[in-house]
Amino acid sequence: MTSPADPHTRTWSHINGSAQDVLDRYAVSELCKGWPVYRDASEWKNYRSLFTDDACVWTTWSSALPVDKFIQVSKEGKENGVFIMHRECGTLAELGDSRTRAIGKMKATITHRFSEGGVIYDVDCDCRFIFFCEKQAATQEWKAKYVKLFYEKDKVVPVDGQTVPKWDKSELSTYPEGYRHLAMAQAKLGYKIDVNLPTPHDKGLWKRMYGEMENWLEGREVDLHWALS
C-alpha cells in the first residue's frame, strides 16, 4: 500500500483558481486521457499529437523509448498478437508556477491478455501515469514531453474464472512488487523488463519520482533515465 506520508513538499494549482488555470488543467487532463483512448484503438496520428517532437515514454516492457520508436514497436507488438488495454480511473493536473509546465496524474489499470500452455489469462496492474507536460510557446498547446508510471499493485485474472498459470515463486520474486506478475508474464514473451520503475514498495524510487515531478513544476531540469539492472 502507499505510505500515509504526503510525498509532495508543497501544493500547486490543482483545483479552482482562475478561469485560465481551470482551462489549462482541463487541457492537460484531456491530453492524458488520449493514451488509453488512442493507443488502445491504434489511432496513431491522434496518439502522436499528444507529444512533443522529442518526447520519451517508459513502460515495463519497453523501458525508455522516444515516442516515435515506441509507436513503431507498439504496432509491431499488435501485429504479433500483443493485446494491451487501459482503463482510465480518474485524472487530475497540477500547474507549475510559470503556467508553462504541468504534471498530469492519470490513475489507470493496465490489462494485458496472455496465453500460456493453453491457459488464457489477464494480468491487471493498477498504476498512475505521470505526464510531464509543457505549453508550446508558438501554439499555446499542451504536449507531453515525458511519460513515466507509478506501478502500485497487480494480479492475475483467470479469463474462464478459474484457471491461471502456475509460476515459480522464486522467479516471480525477482521482479518488483507492484508489477511483478505483469513483468513475469511479459518476460515470458521475450521482453526485457525494466525493474527500476517506481512502486510504493521501493521508497527510494517513489521519492525520486516525486522529486522529479516537483523539479518539473518548478522549472528545473529533470532526470528520469534510471538505468536498467
Side-chain angles (χ1 to χ4, degrees), residues 111-129:
T111 177
H112 190 161
R113 177 149 296 185
F114 298 91
S115 178
E116 181 181 335
V119 176
I120 300 174
Y121 63 97
D122 289 341
V123 178
D124 286 0
C125 183
D126 293 331
C127 59
R128 281 183 296 145
F129 282 72

Side-chain angles (χ1 to χ4, degrees), residues 53-220:
D53 291 343
D54 59 346
C56 184
V57 301
W58 285 256
T59 70
T60 54
W61 56 270
S62 70
S63 192
L65 284 179
V67 66
D68 291 308
K69 178 65 174 178
F70 181 76
I71 290 172
Q72 177 188 332
V73 297
S74 295
K75 289 179 178 179
E76 292 169 356
K78 289 193 175 196
E79 288 172 354
N80 292 324
V82 175
F83 188 12
I84 304 174
M85 305 292 281
H86 305 80
R87 294 189 290 267
E88 187 258 341
C89 304
T91 303
L92 288 173
E94 296 167 333
L95 298 178
D97 294 335
S98 70
R99 301 306 194 260
T100 59
R101 285 187 173 188
I103 290 288
K105 299 175 176 178
M106 183 178 74
K107 289 180 65 65
T109 299
I110 300 167
T111 177
H112 190 161
R113 177 149 296 185
F114 298 91
S115 178
E116 181 181 335
V119 176
I120 300 174
Y121 63 97
D122 289 341
V123 178
D124 286 0
C125 183
D126 293 331
C127 59
R128 281 183 296 145
F129 282 72
I130 305 300
F131 292 76
F132 293 72
C133 301
E134 58 187 14
K135 200 172 195 178
Q136 308 301 291
T139 63
Q140 296 297 292
E141 295 178 341
W142 286 97
K143 301 286 183 180
K145 186 174 178 67
Y146 305 113
V147 181
K148 198 164 191 173
L149 286 69
F150 289 104
Y151 294 87
E152 294 171 327
K153 65 181 178 69
D154 67 341
K155 62 183 177 182
V156 178
V157 181
V159 171
D160 65 4
Q162 57 185 352
T163 312
V164 295
K166 296 185 182 299
W167 290 340
D168 181 78
K169 289 186 177 181
S170 61
E171 183 180 358
L172 186 64
S173 68
T174 64
Y175 298 105
E177 186 177 357
Y179 61 100
R180 62 176 36 149
H181 300 89
L182 181 62
M184 179 88 158
Q186 290 176 336
K188 289 180 177 293
L189 296 180
Y191 290 112
K192 180 175 176 58
I193 303 301
D194 188 337
V195 296
N196 290 306
L197 298 171
T199 78
H201 315 282
D202 185 326
K203 303 306 181 187
L205 292 181
W206 182 270
K207 184 177 180 180
R208 179 170 180 175
M209 181 72 162
Y210 266 98
E212 298 298 352
M213 292 158 66
E214 295 197 351
N215 284 338
W216 182 257
L217 288 170
E218 293 179 353
R220 295 191 292 267

Side-chain angles (χ1 to χ4, degrees), residues 26-44:
Y26 180 84
V28 172
S29 297
E30 186 178 50
L31 180 157
C32 297
K33 295 174 186 179
W35 184 297
V37 171
Y38 297 144
R39 188 185 182 279
D40 289 4
S42 299
E43 295 182 15
W44 300 116

